[in-house]
Amino acid sequence: MRQRDCPRGIAVVDPAAGAAPGESAAVYLTIENSGPDDALVGAGCDCSERVSLHVTEERDDLHVMVETDRIDIASGETTVLGPGGSHLMLEGLDAPLEAGAGIEVTLEFEHGGERTVEVPVVPLDELAERVDR
Amino acid sequence: MTLSIDPDPATPSSEGPATANPAEPHAHRVRNTAIGICVLATLLGVLAVLASRADTSVASWHGQVLPSPQRIPDIRLTDTDGEPFSLIDDTPGDLTLLMFGYTNCPDICPISLGTLAAALDELGPDVANRVDMVFVTADPDRDDLGPLRTYLDGYDPEFIGLRGTATEIAEAQDLAKVPRAVIETPDDDGGYIVGHATQIIAYQDDGTARIAYPFGTRSQDWINDIPRLLAGEIPDE
């Protein structure tokens, strides 16, 4: 599921949202940047009140998710937003996401403008398969 | 694999000594046979070891075996019906799974709970009914009992939800030997993130945990391990 017509050499690969039953859900995707340095600085979805960017930091023995205002997308790098790591968080969903459905998420890049991505909603146990171990 | 125990009597090398000394061929053959049997026995031994290793890998566990077994902790909190709940006394199943989390958890908890629920669904009610999954909120300020129940119902109505005061929950984490959750500074909207231990600890019917399942445990891992834990198999390395 590669979407090639992204601005400035950015390709968004394997997007997925988890079919969480609550009012929030995570969106995962991989960004391949064959253009100049850029950064993901925001995201939006008609399906939720708000979309925030989260990254993981180490605190004591714990991985802690913290909100951030940018995720750097270095030139020539592949940046993975995956389960247990960086991700987008949909907050205040109008309705819980159902597996098999799809949502449109707009990604805002610092230099590359906006890009709307079709994100399939997948069962949560499918996302477990994406966790590195 | 072919194994020649006896050298071919027609080969020149075995014929040569035969002409020099008639007594030797027999001794030679006996010695070679003895060596051959030793080689065969060694090979069989190696094969047996390899086979046993193959068995071990097929039957290996899909969680992290704990460095030392842990007794089920005497955690006493409040369940989603508002009733006192004892982790020791009120888990009648043959396997108690314990996890700390919170309902606003965007990433880890949904995947962990959803994956376990999918596995229990696949295993069917005869197995699932013998498992008590206990989810303790690490965020009692926001997770009231009603919303906690609604949240867990989204995964599996049989999942048990527990809440207590912040102090009680900190003590529960100490008893379960997991790091205490960290509550981050609230953002402008008052929302905040809770960092918490993500493993699911598995206490068997004898009240002892020997294995825990980290974030990223697959549905198939649970499907493989739960019946074995229920059968009283002892996880080891």
Side-chain angles (χ1 to χ4, degrees):
Chain A
M1 195 166 303
R2 182 174 295 254
Q3 309 201 12
R4 288 197 173 280
D5 54 335
C6 274
R8 293 163 65 93
I10 287 174
V12 178
V13 186
D14 288 338
E23 290 174 2
S24 60
V27 173
Y28 307 102
L29 44 84
T30 296
I31 301 171
E32 296 172 351
N33 185 6
S34 58
D37 284 347
D38 210 330
L40 184 62
V41 292
C45 180
D46 287 342
C47 63
S48 69
E49 290 172 14
R50 188 163 174 266
V51 183
S52 48
L53 309 182
H54 284 183
V55 293
T56 306
E57 291 181 4
E58 289 268 1
R59 302 282 164 83
D60 304 325
D61 292 339
L62 298 170
H63 288 282
V64 180
M65 305 286 169
V66 292
E67 191 168 340
T68 184
D69 53 9
R70 62 182 290 125
I71 295 174
D72 287 321
I73 312 290
S75 175
E77 298 285 322
T78 296
T79 304
V80 177
L81 278 62
S86 303
H87 56 274
L88 310 180
M89 179 181 171
L90 309 171
E91 295 169 84
L93 285 164
D94 296 339
L97 299 182
E98 300 277 350
I103 54 173
E104 285 193 347
V105 175
T106 300
L107 306 175
E108 186 189 334
F109 294 96
E110 189 172 43
H111 303 297
E114 291 191 347
R115 166 70 181 146
T116 299
V117 184
E118 287 283 342
V119 180
V121 180
V122 304
L124 293 162
D125 57 318
E126 209 169 283
L127 293 174
E129 310 281 338
R130 292 190 179 207
V131 179
D132 288 336
R133 55 176 185 181
Chain B
M1 184 191 305
T2 57
L3 186 68
S4 174
I5 292 177
D6 217 342
D8 183 348
T11 56
S13 61
S14 60
E15 253 177 17
T19 48
N21 184 347
E24 243 187 31
H26 181 65
H28 193 77
R29 190 154 53 238
V30 167
R31 194 172 69 240
N32 277 339
T33 302
I35 290 169
I37 287 170
C38 283
V39 168
L40 181 64
T42 305
L43 277 172
L44 286 173
V46 168
L47 286 173
V49 168
L50 287 176
S52 71
R53 284 202 181 151
D55 277 349
T56 306
S57 71
V58 166
S60 70
W61 294 86
H62 297 84
Q64 291 171 345
V65 175
L66 299 173
S68 56
Q70 295 176 12
R71 292 295 298 167
I72 188 167
D74 188 13
I75 290 175
R76 293 165 187 271
L77 294 166
T78 302
D79 70 14
T80 49
D81 292 329
E83 299 294 327
F85 187 97
S86 157
L87 191 66
I88 293 175
D89 297 333
D90 296 325
T91 48
D94 299 322
L95 178 66
T96 299
L97 302 177
L98 176 66
M99 173 187 177
F100 293 85
Y102 69 114
T103 68
N104 285 280
C105 170
D107 174 42
I108 303 281
C109 310
I111 292 176
S112 295
L113 291 171
T115 301
L116 177 62
L120 290 171
D121 197 45
E122 181 75 24
L123 286 165
D126 287 349
V127 174
N129 289 343
R130 296 173 62 196
V131 179
D132 292 315
M133 170 61 197
V134 179
F135 180 91
V136 180
T137 177
D139 185 15
D141 284 352
R142 283 188 295 189
D143 289 345
D144 282 333
L145 296 176
L148 180 56
R149 183 69 265 149
T150 306
Y151 176 78
L152 292 173
D153 282 349
Y155 296 96
D156 186 332
E158 298 299 323
F159 285 177
I160 295 160
L162 300 183
R163 181 179 181 272
T165 64
T167 305
E168 288 170 336
I169 287 168
E171 288 169 356
Q173 291 169 101
D174 292 348
L175 288 170
K177 296 181 166 53
V178 301
R180 288 187 182 187
V182 176
I183 296 189
E184 293 287 300
T185 311
D187 61 21
D188 298 341
D189 305 323
Y192 56 88
I193 300 285
V194 179
H196 58 89
T198 55
Q199 68 268 44
I200 298 179
I201 308 169
Y203 302 95
Q204 290 179 271
D205 199 28
D206 62 355
T208 300
R210 300 171 183 86
I211 192 166
Y213 292 83
F215 173 64
T217 296
R218 274 58 165 161
S219 175
Q220 191 59 49
D221 297 334
W222 287 119
I223 291 168
N224 289 332
D225 283 11
I226 284 175
R228 298 175 63 199
L229 292 168
L230 286 171
E233 270 190 68
I234 303 299
D236 49 23
E237 289 293 2

